[in-house]
Amino acid sequence: MKNIAVVCGGDSSEREVSINSALNVLLNIDRNKFNPRLVFLEGTKWFVVSSDASTPAKVLEHQNASLVDKNSFSFFCQEQGKEEKFDAALIMIHGTPGENGLLQGYLEMQGVPFTTCSSFVSAITFDKHSCKRFLDFAGVKMANDVFISRNRPYSLREIIRQVGLPMFVKPTVGGSSFGVTKVKDEGALQQAIDNAFCECGTILAEEAISGREMTCGVYKFQGRICALPVTEIVTGREFFDYQAKYLGESQEICPAEITPALSAKIQNLSERIYSYMGCRGIVRMDYIVTENEDIYFLEVNTVPGMTEMSLVPKMLLAAGIGIKDFITSLIEESFVKR
């Protein structure tokens, strides 16, 4: 059987979500086909965590953990009493270094297959500003935005003039809505910018499009790009923030209660973006759909959550796809020559 590194942790605010995603994958991976090992990344130290780790707390304890030899992406297997090399990596790190291309670049240099987009595509899609500029040439509708850097002067009035109110202020990198604020009046803009700068040094002020929030998962199976059922996200909060995503303050309607024509339109657009960007593995596209059924692209998540609360597992359930079979297809697809 092939040794599969289920990689989690990382160095971003999304570390806990990453661990929960990895633990859910471990529960559902086909152990008749694969020998999975939980690999936890913490800065420059990479640990192969004990196989009895079943909660985030146990993962963080590093009990009976072996260090990963980054020269060969291998580890000393205490059960076998010898060095074992990983055959592939199933990446479950949300944020850096597993979603921004850093880990992908390392694995590419090692010649190790992995389940996500390439280092190049991961780097582009992870940065919201870069991703939008890349898609400017693809005819994809997107909200107007202003790029703001901590190292360059900016004018609050000019931002409002270009984007209008209300607007969203968000870090250009990261996920789970950390550092994102919906700004309704000029007096709240500076604090929103300061909050976003706590996550990274570049941010976007983005026009708030009024409409329904939709999301669609896309993956490649046996060389064919496939879209999962469209899901609508409904929340009483201002937007789909961390509390809505992970603390139960939202309702995910899957499949979305929309016309078959609109559903097909969103799925076709998602498949087109997936192909245009050169994506691999499972990704999730987020949109706002207006009353006139105009579809505005928000962002792409190249390592979407796989917790019990996450959207992709719900899409798989609606599509009648077993999560075990899906994980198997992700791993097997990673061995296809890129």
Side-chain angles (χ1 to χ4, degrees):
M1 290 193 293
K2 295 186 182 299
N3 290 323
I4 307 299
V6 180
V7 190
C8 68
D11 308 314
S12 76
S13 303
E14 299 179 89
R15 183 172 72 163
E16 185 175 347
V17 180
S18 167
I19 295 172
N20 283 318
S21 288
L23 290 174
N24 196 39
V25 166
L26 284 177
L27 282 175
N28 291 284
I29 198 168
D30 190 341
R31 294 175 184 265
N32 292 319
K33 294 183 178 181
F34 308 110
N35 180 29
R37 299 280 182 166
L38 187 65
V39 176
F40 178 75
L41 271 61
E42 186 177 59
T44 59
K45 292 185 178 180
W46 300 6
F47 302 90
V48 179
V49 182
S50 173
S51 58
D52 66 355
S54 57
T55 66
K58 286 188 176 181
V59 174
L60 292 171
E61 286 173 3
H62 308 318
Q63 289 183 350
N64 303 318
S66 300
L67 284 174
V68 173
D69 183 351
K70 293 192 285 291
N71 291 312
S72 56
F73 198 49
S74 62
F75 69 102
F76 183 79
C77 178
Q78 296 180 6
E79 298 96 322
Q80 300 292 330
K82 63 177 182 177
E83 198 79 6
E84 292 276 352
K85 196 175 188 305
F86 288 112
D87 297 297
L90 198 163
I91 300 174
M92 278 289 108
I93 293 182
H94 314 306
T96 186
E99 200 169 4
N100 59 357
L102 296 180
L103 179 58
Q104 287 82 357
Y106 162 78
L107 293 169
E108 286 167 353
M109 292 179 69
Q110 291 286 343
V112 176
F114 53 90
T115 56
T116 69
C117 299
S118 69
S119 58
F120 174 72
V121 174
S122 296
I124 292 174
T125 54
F126 187 69
D127 184 277
K128 296 176 178 64
H129 177 64
S130 298
C131 185
K132 291 184 72 172
R133 299 298 73 85
F134 195 89
L135 289 175
D136 279 337
F137 301 95
V140 177
K141 288 185 178 180
M142 293 176 285
N144 295 326
D145 65 77
V146 172
F147 177 75
I148 307 167
S149 171
R150 184 186 285 130
N151 299 322
R152 296 175 59 187
Y154 56 86
S155 165
L156 299 183
R157 288 188 177 181
E158 183 61 19
I159 293 170
I160 293 172
R161 186 191 71 79
Q162 292 188 50
V163 177
L165 291 169
M167 72 173 76
F168 283 100
V169 175
K170 58 181 70 173
T172 59
V173 300
S176 296
S177 300
F178 289 112
V180 179
T181 306
K182 186 175 184 180
V183 178
K184 297 181 178 179
D185 58 79
E186 183 176 357
L189 180 54
Q190 185 60 63
Q191 184 60 56
I193 290 173
D194 293 341
N195 289 342
F197 277 146
C198 289
E199 293 295 317
C200 70
T202 54
I203 63 178
L204 285 181
E206 191 173 71
E207 172 189 14
I209 304 294
S210 179
R212 300 163 71 181
E213 185 161 355
M214 304 284 176
T215 186
C216 182
V218 187
Y219 67 103
K220 187 175 285 187
F221 178 68
Q222 296 181 348
R224 184 170 65 91
I225 297 173
C226 308
L228 292 170
V230 177
T231 300
E232 180 175 7
I233 300 163
V234 180
T235 178
R237 299 184 65 79
E238 286 287 355
F239 61 98
F240 194 43
D241 60 7
Y242 184 90
Q243 287 181 260
K245 288 178 180 177
Y246 301 112
L247 301 182
E249 296 189 32
S250 68
Q251 181 184 7
E252 292 84 36
I253 303 170
C254 184
E257 296 174 352
I258 54 180
T259 65
L262 179 56
S263 179
K265 191 176 176 182
I266 294 171
Q267 288 178 314
N268 291 338
L269 176 59
S270 300
E271 291 175 359
R272 182 159 67 88
I273 293 173
Y274 187 102
S275 177
Y276 181 82
M277 299 292 297
C279 294
R280 297 274 301 210
I282 175 69
V283 306
R284 205 189 74 233
M285 315 285 183
D286 296 342
Y287 306 96
I288 292 291
V289 180
T290 68
E291 188 175 350
N292 296 326
E293 296 191 353
D294 289 325
I295 305 169
Y296 283 82
F297 170 85
L298 291 179
E299 65 180 36
V300 55
N301 300 274
T302 58
V303 187
M306 290 293 285
T307 72
E308 291 184 354
M309 295 285 291
S310 298
L311 290 160
V312 167
K314 295 177 181 179
M315 294 177 189
L316 293 172
L317 180 64
I321 301 172
I323 189 168
K324 181 179 289 187
D325 291 338
F326 182 74
I327 291 170
T328 295
S329 71
L330 278 184
I331 296 171
E332 291 178 344
E333 183 69 25
S334 73
F335 287 99
V336 177
K337 189 175 181 181
R338 294 171 182 258

